[in-house]
Every structure is written in structure tokens, then in C-alpha cells.
Amino acid sequence: MSRSGQASFVIFCWLSALIPMLCVIALLAFLAARGLPTVSAALFFGDTQPLAALLGRALVWDGIWPACAGTLSLVILSAALAIPVGVACGIHLAEFATGRSKAALSLGADLLAGVPSIVMGLFGFALILLLRRSLMPDATTCLLLSAACMALLILPYLIKTTQASLEGLPEELRLLGPSLGLTRLQAIRHILLPAAGKGILGGAVLAIGRAAEDTAVILLTGVVANAGLPRGLLDKYEALPFFIFTTAAEHQTVGELNRGFGAALVLLLLTSGIFLGAHLLHAAMQSRWRTSA
């Protein structure tokens, strides 16, 4: 390759890296310019006293605090349902499954990953209709149904990232367990999982971010406006993506639209906080593993 060709290739690589970064910076700057002026106690609590709203003693009608609480509840419950199953399935595919069973499980995970979120929402809604006509006449959409459908939606991320993280480990690391006299399960727990922890946590963060921002699933499975703080698993709830959607679709003034931008900024900060927490958790796990090793 000539020098001019090499220089053109280097410039192309730099542009390929800079353009997405500049797009993200421009998006963040636009979001901050529109939403940051609205971020205040009034955005979260409206005219309600903050302490009374935080303790659930007073309803919040014109603030996003119930939507923040609903989003956190949805994310935590979805993660609690999906992460153990997804990680366990990924471990099985990477370490135990062989032949046709591995191919069948991998195909199932791939098909589940290709299901659109609106179809998953329709599945949850159809499930409620089936329960009403059979076992539970009083069944209705709720937080638990949304979390279960969301868990199914994010499950493939957890399965594939866990499988890829374990299969990408070097072979000498796999031989370390038997050389130390460890059983296969002990080697997976004490050697392979800590070594693959960064990739597994990365998949968990992506899955949690998807659970925090998806709107199509929750539209059909339990989210409503002005539901207040979630009181239980079988109650309706509010969520930030739904608030942003309804604000963008039904705003009457520029101020109302800016409140939607403020809610989007809060949602972005929420997912960033989750990512930071996962990073700190991974650092603590690595430090503990190195100390014990």
C-alpha cells in the first residue's frame, strides 16, 4: 500500500472513531440544553412537599418522582428475574452443553433476541386474557407482568454475553482448576467466573439499560399515568419512558416539552448510575478474587 493509501486509511479510521463520539456529544449537549434548566425539585415533586412524597405520604400529580420509583422497581425486579437464569444458561452453553442440545439452546436464545419488544408486550397482554378466562378471573396487567416480559426480552443479552465471556477465556486458565485439584463446578465458581466477570457484568448492564428505557413492553403490561408510587407487585405503576412518550405526544406548551427533555436527562443519569454501580461492583469482585487467590 502506498503512503497516500496508508494516510487515507488512518484518516478513515480516525473519522470512524470520532464521528460516533461527536454525535453522542452533540446529542448530550442538546439534551442538557433543553432539559437541564427544568431539573429541579418541582420536576420531581411538583407542588408536593419532597419529604412527604419520598415517604409516600402524599400523592405527586405533576412530578416524575413516581415514574422514577416505578422505573427503579421495574429494573430491579426484571434484573432479579433475568440475571440468575441468563447467567446460568450462559454457563451451561459454554461449559456443559454439546452437540444438538447446544445448537438448539443457542438457536432458542437467538430467536428470543429477535423478538420485537411490542410482540413481547402483546404476549404479556394475551397471557392476562388467557388467565382471565381460565385460572384467574381477576388477573390484570401489573408491575410483575411487565417485569416478567422485560426479563424475557433481556434474557438473550445475558445468555450470549456470559457464553462469549467464558468461551473467550484462554485454555491455560481452564487447566488451572484441574491442576489444583478442583472439581469442575469449583473451577467455574472460583476461576472462570471471576475471570469472565467483566464481560458478564457488561452484558448485565446492557440488559438493565434496555429494561430501563423500553416503552413498548410496558405500554401493554401495566404502566399508566398518575398511578402513584408502586404499592405492590400486582399494582399499576408509572415509568420514565412512558412519561417521556406521553409528554412528547401530548404537550401543549414548550415548557411541557422541556419537562420531557428533563425526564429524559434523568433517565440517562439513572442508567449511567447503574453502569457506574456495576463498574464498582466488578472492581470490588476483582479485588476480592485477587486477595483470595
Side-chain angles (χ1 to χ4, degrees):
M1 183 182 294
S2 63
R3 290 186 177 180
S4 60
Q6 291 180 352
S8 300
F9 181 73
V10 170
I11 292 172
F12 174 76
C13 292
W14 274 102
L15 289 176
S16 300
L18 288 175
I19 289 175
M21 186 182 301
L22 292 175
C23 291
V24 171
I25 292 173
L27 178 62
L28 292 177
F30 174 76
L31 188 61
R34 295 292 300 270
L36 195 58
T38 67
V39 177
S40 62
L43 175 66
F44 286 90
F45 307 109
D47 297 330
T48 308
Q49 291 293 329
L51 183 59
L54 289 172
L55 296 177
R57 295 175 180 174
L59 296 177
V60 178
W61 296 104
D62 53 351
I64 65 171
W65 166 242
C68 294
T71 300
L72 282 173
S73 301
L74 177 66
V75 167
I76 292 172
L77 188 55
S78 301
L81 292 173
I83 288 178
V85 177
V87 172
C89 186
I91 293 173
H92 178 74
L93 284 173
E95 301 298 326
F96 298 102
T98 57
R100 293 183 178 179
S101 64
K102 184 173 183 177
L105 286 173
S106 298
L107 178 61
D110 292 336
L111 291 176
L112 188 59
V115 174
S117 57
I118 189 65
V119 174
M120 193 63 71
L122 287 172
F123 165 75
F125 187 73
L127 178 61
I128 287 297
L129 295 180
L130 177 63
L131 290 175
R132 280 185 176 181
R133 295 179 180 180
S134 55
L135 302 176
M136 301 173 61
D138 297 329
T140 184
T141 55
C142 58
L143 176 61
L144 180 60
L145 178 65
S146 294
C149 292
M150 194 68 72
L152 288 175
L153 194 67
I154 65 178
L155 197 59
Y157 296 93
L158 298 164
I159 295 173
K160 288 302 181 181
T161 53
T162 301
Q163 181 185 2
S165 299
L166 288 171
E167 289 179 345
L169 295 176
E171 188 62 28
E172 54 268 21
L173 195 61
R174 297 180 177 278
L175 298 176
L176 181 60
S179 67
L180 295 175
L182 300 178
T183 65
R184 193 169 187 181
L185 289 177
Q186 288 174 334
I188 291 173
R189 177 183 176 184
H190 297 288
I191 298 176
L192 300 184
L193 282 180
K198 187 173 183 179
I200 295 173
L201 277 176
V205 170
L206 290 175
I208 290 172
R210 176 71 185 273
E213 58 83 22
D214 198 280
T215 308
V217 172
I218 61 177
L219 278 173
L220 296 170
T221 55
V223 69
V224 295
N226 298 322
L229 294 175
R231 303 289 181 178
L233 298 180
L234 301 180
D235 287 341
K236 307 288 187 179
Y237 65 99
E238 297 182 47
L240 283 173
F242 181 72
F243 177 85
I244 297 167
F245 171 76
T246 55
T247 301
E250 301 175 2
H251 70 278
Q252 301 294 326
T253 64
V254 176
E256 291 181 359
L257 182 60
N258 287 338
R259 283 169 55 86
F261 281 110
L265 188 60
V266 171
L267 179 60
L268 181 63
L269 293 175
L270 178 64
T271 53
S272 300
I274 293 172
F275 177 80
L276 178 61
H279 176 74
L280 295 176
L281 177 62
H282 176 256
M285 289 174 58
Q286 270 197 329
S287 176
R288 181 180 178 182
W289 177 63
R290 289 171 180 172
T291 302
S292 61

